[in-house]
Amino acid sequence: MAWTGKILRVNLNDKTCKEEPLNREWAQQYLGQRGLATKYLVEEIDPKADPLGPDNKLIFATGPLTGTMASTGGRYSVITKSPLTNCVACSNSGGFIGQELKNAGWDMVIVEGKADGPVYLYIENEKAELLPADDIWGTSVWHTDEWLHKRHQDPLLRIAAVGRSAEQGCLYSAVINDLHRAAGRSGVGTVMASKNLKAMAVRGTLGVGNIKDPKRFMQAVNAAKKVLADNAVTGQGLPTYGTQVLMNVINEIGALPTRNAREVQFEGANEISGEAMHEPRPTDGKPNLVTNAGCFACTIACGRISTVDKGHFSVKNKPEYWGASGGLEYEAAWALGSDTGVDDLDALTYANFICNEDGMDPISFGATVAAAMELYGRGVLTTEQTGIPFDFGSAEALVKAAEWVATGEGFGKDLGLGSKRLCEKYGHPELSMTVKGQEFPAYDPRGIQGMGLTYATSNRGACHLRSYTVASEVLGIPEKTDPLTAEGKPALVKAFQDATGAVDSSGLCVFTTFAWTLEDIAPQIDAACEGEWTPERLLELGERVWNLERQFNLAAGITGADDTLPKRLLEEPAATGPAKGLVNKLDEMLPEYYQLRGWTPDGVPTPETLQRLGL
Amino acid sequence: MRITLKLFASLAEHLPPGAGRNEAEVEVPDGASVQDVLDRFNLSQEQAHLVTRNGVFVPCSLRSEERLDSGDAVAVWPPVAGG
Ligand code: SF4
């Protein structure tokens, strides 16, 4: 069965925590985590609800394999309506809290209403209660984490919390768990703070024992682990260099958005790369990277643990930042670095620490700083607004910006709006590198065509993790396609979107798919869960989730006209590299994509499509 | 002729002495192919997983045919990925 069969419903209005049974029929259609929680959200909230109002709900959801011995089986997601995009939001995180929630006996926690003062949710197996959080409101995630551990005298308590940025209304605040893992995107932390819910602290000791066929499950799990270990990418590449090894790859192929995507190659890329993180610093002889780290049950361990040079200006006289903490992933390094033109690895690492400490999505934060830098360069913003010079390449500006957004001080309020609202406020919406209000990540769609369609059609606004066609277009996984052509990309994007929808609903990490296909994943789910789970059924489930999300967004007022890209990517050709002279060919891809999806030319699922998927 | 050789991740140790973190200007015979360069720097097919010439992917099957021009950049990675 793998599901615990129990949902915890937390009502913040009347401060109650109630147990209810999981809807088993929905679990067969949507599996868990992203899919199943989206189904609950769609059924329970008005799509037009104010994301920051009491009618929005916030769901913490595990998958059926969360908490099991399956490799990477520690994932959980936060599902809500996003204040950044007004779309459905689903942000996925690793670390340890997902498995802890499952081990406490819960598939999901549904939070509704709004508390009349700061509270936190404390869960100890079947016991769940809301406790006052006045003492930690107005403090960072890291402080909250420490306070809760002390308060409950339990070093094994797992904690997810929001930082000061979320309390201050920053629209891209994350929910941070285990100090430096993040349900990062779309402002899910902002929603949590809007409900006066500061943290969720969980202790689970019940185990996840209800596996359908334990013997077959262990066989499937072990076979799949061997595939990960034997694969050069998941066995060696990711543990050694992390995702950051991509910095030089993507720069070399001319798809590294630079200085707010004005350019596609960054002269400082190698200075902020995975390779640079391994190199001893001239000052103290120590490299930025201390070690790699893994989430619960993960046999890949791609995480980075880093330090900032104690002599660096950002941490001078701040010994609290001299220790090792969560280091740069590729996305963060790109947004904080290449997109802002800053090539100072220590400044980036420090800004990343602040993003973890006070819960900001580094992609949206970095991209918003980049937009502000372009506005400043054009004279639209001056030091009157920014407080200090705000030129591209300024490490000082980046560091200050992180501190300001973290606390909501000064120019931090404007930066907390995100790139779209900031650029609109100052009269230049065209300078915002967003889709549906969400900042796009580290791949320029002029140099990787499929990513243009990926961003344009992503149900949570621009995102690379909804269909990571970079795997095929750049890395040759499962097979190499040409990044510069639009041909064949609609089918590729759809296939990645549907498969990812299934993986995100399972409790597993999407990075396994550098080595695994659904043929490796299905036997693990099938041995653990009631029902028959084949790769085909999983793919159909992914497609169902995709259409369900689409339906929600349409009902929320998002239309096919929003499936577009910033003008810069559609009209300003890349100036250097292999994509020189190219723009993104979205207009060639989108109609074919709609057709493949079984949608009308306006991007609306046809009745036949909905019926076929049981929607 | 001179080309720029860029070796990333674990392959950097194959660069000639005195090279920067990940790249070096190297002298190769006129008309050398991508494969000639890989051979010269002892990069096996397994190691040379992702190879680009001036940023454009060169598949395994074309590495011997693809002739380099002076000033070209050849970049090589072992199997890597990210997200
Ligand atoms: S691959 Fe990386 S992100 Fe995924 S579970 Fe493992 S350590 Fe966490």
Side-chain angles (χ1 to χ4, degrees):
Chain A
M1 310 234 285
W3 298 280
T4 68
K6 286 196 317 182
I7 289 181
L8 178 65
R9 189 173 291 274
V10 177
N11 188 306
L12 294 170
N13 295 333
D14 54 21
K15 299 221 170 67
T16 54
C17 299
K18 288 192 184 132
E19 178 189 324
E20 63 181 64
L22 181 79
N23 185 319
R24 298 270 178 187
E25 203 181 310
W26 290 354
Q28 287 297 318
Q29 288 172 312
Y30 296 97
L31 194 56
Q33 210 179 346
R34 173 175 160 195
L36 190 53
T38 302
K39 175 68 177 166
Y40 271 90
L41 189 81
V42 166
E43 293 292 335
E44 295 193 10
I45 76 162
D46 176 356
K48 293 224 156 45
D50 172 5
L52 299 179
D55 294 338
N56 194 9
K57 297 192 184 186
L58 184 72
I59 306 180
F60 301 95
T62 66
L65 297 191
T66 306
T68 69
M69 288 178 77
S71 184
T72 77
R75 311 293 302 189
Y76 93 111
S77 292
V78 183
I79 293 91
T80 187
K81 182 178 173 182
S82 161
L84 188 68
T85 64
N86 278 311
C87 299
V88 62
C90 171
S91 293
N92 182 309
S93 181
F96 293 83
I97 197 164
Q99 62 81 30
E100 198 74 22
L101 191 60
K102 192 72 173 290
N103 274 289
W106 305 103
D107 286 319
M108 231 186 253
V109 177
I110 302 179
V111 180
E112 50 196 31
K114 177 179 176 168
D116 53 9
V119 292
Y120 70 95
L121 174 63
Y122 178 72
I123 299 174
E124 194 183 339
N125 295 333
E126 44 283 293
K127 183 175 114 190
E129 55 187 337
L130 289 162
L131 298 170
D134 304 87
D135 290 349
I136 38 177
W137 196 258
T139 73
S140 72
V141 171
W142 291 357
H143 176 270
T144 297
D145 191 280
E146 198 184 331
W147 188 89
L148 286 167
H149 278 113
K150 275 198 192 136
R151 164 88 210 272
H152 291 276
Q153 288 294 302
D154 184 354
L156 291 176
L157 202 59
R158 298 293 178 184
I159 291 157
V162 293
R164 290 172 291 181
S165 71
E167 295 174 17
Q168 293 295 326
C170 164
L171 289 174
Y172 46 80
S173 288
V175 177
I176 303 285
N177 60 283
D178 302 290
L179 295 175
H180 44 239
R181 305 299 313 193
R185 301 228 69 191
S186 312
V188 295
T190 317
V191 174
M192 186 162 160
S194 77
K195 298 190 169 302
N196 278 328
L197 181 63
K198 179 68 179 174
M200 174 172 76
V202 190
R203 187 76 160 91
T205 56
L206 303 177
V208 181
N210 47 354
I211 299 291
K212 182 176 78 179
D213 183 342
K215 193 165 167 220
R216 189 154 60 86
F217 181 65
M218 287 315 295
Q219 280 166 352
V221 160
N222 288 338
K225 280 184 181 164
K226 189 165 181 329
V227 173
L228 292 180
D230 291 349
N231 181 286
V233 168
T234 49
Q236 296 136 41
L238 275 172
T240 313
Y241 287 94
T243 57
Q244 256 280 64
V245 76
L246 281 187
M247 186 64 72
N248 284 310
V249 178
I250 304 301
N251 191 46
E252 199 63 26
I253 67 157
L256 189 68
T258 300
R259 287 176 277 266
N260 202 33
R262 286 196 317 203
E263 297 140 78
V264 295
Q265 289 181 306
F266 181 39
E267 66 287 352
N270 202 358
E271 299 307 314
I272 58 169
S273 64
E275 286 85 350
M277 287 169 72
H278 277 260
E279 199 168 83
R281 292 185 282 248
T283 47
D284 61 2
K286 292 184 183 148
N288 173 286
L289 183 74
V290 177
T291 182
N292 67 328
C295 303
F296 174 80
C298 179
T299 53
I300 302 174
C302 76
R304 307 286 93 184
I305 300 295
S306 288
T307 58
V308 179
D309 185 342
K310 286 177 193 158
H312 188 260
F313 78 88
S314 60
V315 298
K316 238 184 199 151
N317 306 319
K318 296 186 207 164
E320 65 272 30
Y321 298 104
W322 291 353
S325 191
L328 294 164
E329 309 292 342
Y330 171 58
E331 291 298 332
W334 159 78
L336 303 170
S338 156
D339 206 32
T340 64
V342 175
D343 64 1
D344 176 338
L345 187 62
D346 284 303
L348 270 53
T349 306
Y350 172 75
N352 193 56
F353 283 2
I354 299 295
C355 285
N356 288 334
E357 184 181 20
D358 268 300
M360 290 113 73
D361 167 16
I363 300 179
S364 286
F365 165 71
T368 304
V369 170
M373 286 174 165
E374 183 158 7
L375 289 167
Y376 181 85
R378 290 176 177 224
V380 178
L381 289 174
T382 66
T383 49
E384 201 178 308
Q385 290 89 23
T386 60
I388 54 170
F390 222 72
D391 300 285
F392 278 123
S394 168
E396 289 78 11
L398 174 73
V399 161
K400 274 286 163 218
E403 293 171 351
W404 289 335
V405 177
T407 55
E409 281 167 63
F411 188 47
K413 272 275 181 236
D414 268 357
L415 291 171
L417 294 171
S419 163
K420 176 170 179 268
R421 290 169 180 83
L422 177 87
C423 290
E424 277 169 3
K425 178 172 173 179
Y426 291 101
H428 286 272
E430 77 286 1
L431 296 184
S432 168
M433 298 301 122
T434 51
V435 177
K436 301 184 179 91
Q438 180 155 283
E439 292 73 12
F440 72 70
Y443 310 92
D444 196 297
R446 291 167 288 200
I448 308 176
Q449 291 287 325
M451 289 309 277
L453 186 61
T454 288
Y455 295 164
T457 59
S458 160
N459 285 329
R460 65 166 185 177
C463 167
H464 59 298
L465 291 171
R466 287 296 176 268
S467 47
Y468 192 66
T469 60
V470 175
S472 164
E473 293 179 276
V474 181
L475 305 168
I477 304 169
E479 57 190 38
K480 186 81 176 71
T481 52
D482 182 354
L484 300 179
T485 168
E487 214 175 304
K489 298 302 160 64
L492 189 71
V493 167
K494 178 180 181 292
F496 270 84
Q497 285 173 340
D498 293 347
T500 305
V503 177
D504 284 349
S505 301
S506 68
L508 301 174
C509 178
V510 74
F511 285 179
T512 56
T513 58
F514 290 124
W516 288 350
T517 65
L518 292 180
E519 302 280 345
D520 301 291
I521 293 173
Q524 301 181 70
I525 297 177
D526 187 57
C529 301
E530 196 175 84
E532 278 187 30
W533 295 90
T534 59
E536 295 73 29
R537 182 172 172 198
L538 287 173
L539 208 56
E540 190 191 67
L541 183 140
E543 188 178 6
R544 184 175 304 121
V545 173
W546 194 261
N547 280 272
L548 180 74
E549 292 172 338
R550 180 77 177 184
Q551 289 287 84
F552 179 89
N553 287 350
L554 288 166
I558 314 290
T559 69
D562 297 299
D563 294 340
T564 186
L565 293 171
K567 225 166 86 184
R568 176 162 284 170
L569 305 178
L570 297 172
E571 292 178 11
E572 291 175 28
T576 63
K580 188 172 172 180
L582 288 185
V583 294
N584 186 266
K585 302 167 198 163
L586 183 65
D587 54 345
E588 282 178 34
M589 297 184 279
L590 197 58
E592 186 186 336
Y593 170 84
Y594 283 171
Q595 208 173 12
L596 287 169
R597 277 247 166 260
W599 295 355
T600 67
D602 294 333
V604 179
T606 62
E608 298 80 57
T609 300
L610 296 177
Q611 201 186 7
R612 176 170 61 79
L613 296 169
L615 284 165
Chain B
M1 63 181 181
R2 287 181 86 72
I3 63 157
T4 305
L5 178 65
K6 304 181 183 183
L7 302 180
F8 293 105
S10 52
L11 304 184
E13 59 199 37
H14 292 251
L15 284 167
R21 184 184 296 135
N22 292 111
E23 65 177 78
E25 297 276 305
V26 296
E27 191 70 37
V28 297
D30 284 359
S33 70
V34 170
Q35 189 58 48
D36 293 337
V37 175
L38 299 178
D39 291 343
R40 156 116 185 259
F41 290 91
N42 299 315
L43 295 159
S44 67
Q45 190 170 318
E46 223 168 53
Q47 290 170 314
H49 182 78
L50 177 63
V51 179
T52 63
R53 175 192 178 196
N54 300 328
V56 179
F57 178 69
V58 185
C60 249
S61 56
L62 295 179
R63 287 177 191 169
S64 299
E65 286 165 36
E66 186 119 351
R67 303 274 148 198
L68 296 168
D69 292 324
S70 177
D72 276 356
V74 172
V76 189
W77 289 266
V80 292

